[in-house]
Amino acid sequence: MDTATAALIDPERQLLGCLLQLPTGPARRVLAEMHANDLADPEAAHVLGLAIEVLARDQDPAPVVLYTHAVTTGQAPGRTRREALAQWLFDTYRDAPPAALAEHLKAAVLEAAWRRALTAHADRLRQAADTAPTDLLRELADDTGAIDDLWRRYRAAAEPTTRLEVAA
């Protein structure tokens, strides 16, 4: 799939596209309690990490700001890497949905992250179930802190802050 198509159908890219349009204050609200590792795509996670860093410096997460930050901090070494990042940011910004969808996309991204974490936990349990000592298996079964945190953040993002009604 080419990058332009991915920007149109991938919720992670769509969320970042919305973010690239927002000024500092609204961008901070959208990214509240989000972590770069919430995203499955490595490039999207890298860009989210850049956005978190520039917002911490009180800068808007505009494409040129993220690009410049990546270059000046050594996070986009070499010409090929810089060109790939520039193209990714360009495609994501160009094909972004309206910024007003950012909160909805945040919830979708966090739900997917929660589901991935739950699946990974279930896989670990399934692999250990037949052979692990029972004490270790019990400890592994109870180790749900990351899953619980993602669930809490997903539910908080999924709860609408304002109720909208459609006119009859």
Side-chain angles (χ1 to χ4, degrees):
M1 174 180 343
D2 64 42
T3 58
T5 303
L8 289 171
I9 63 171
D10 176 12
E12 293 181 358
R13 293 264 318 249
Q14 290 178 335
L15 172 62
L16 290 168
C18 290
L19 185 68
L20 295 173
Q21 302 172 53
L22 294 173
T24 305
R28 277 193 177 128
R29 284 189 291 281
V30 169
L31 291 188
E33 296 200 72
M34 286 207 69
H35 311 289
N37 65 1
D38 290 338
L39 305 186
D41 177 73
E43 187 66 21
H46 178 239
V47 170
L48 180 58
L50 293 171
I52 290 168
E53 290 172 14
V54 302
L55 285 168
R57 300 170 95 184
D58 226 12
Q59 296 176 299
D60 292 345
V64 69
V65 176
L66 297 185
Y67 176 82
T68 302
H69 178 70
V71 170
T72 59
T73 59
Q75 296 183 58
R79 180 179 178 179
T80 302
R81 179 68 186 113
R82 286 190 304 272
E83 288 175 356
L85 177 61
Q87 188 65 54
W88 195 96
L89 289 167
F90 173 78
D91 290 339
T92 301
Y93 183 77
R94 179 196 61 211
D95 298 328
L101 294 176
E103 293 291 341
H104 171 76
L105 290 164
K106 175 183 178 178
V109 166
L110 286 173
E111 178 186 2
W114 173 73
R115 288 178 182 277
R116 283 191 309 277
L118 193 60
T119 299
H121 183 69
D123 289 345
R124 284 190 301 276
L125 286 173
R126 189 176 18 248
Q127 290 170 358
D130 292 334
T131 59
T134 56
D135 289 345
L136 179 62
L137 190 56
R138 173 65 184 207
E139 191 175 308
L140 182 61
D142 289 342
D143 184 18
T144 61
I147 296 167
D148 296 340
D149 178 59
L150 273 165
W151 174 256
R152 181 192 58 74
R153 293 187 291 127
Y154 157 58
R155 292 309 308 156
E159 293 297 319
T161 55
T162 57
R163 303 271 187 225
L164 300 177
E165 294 182 16
V166 177

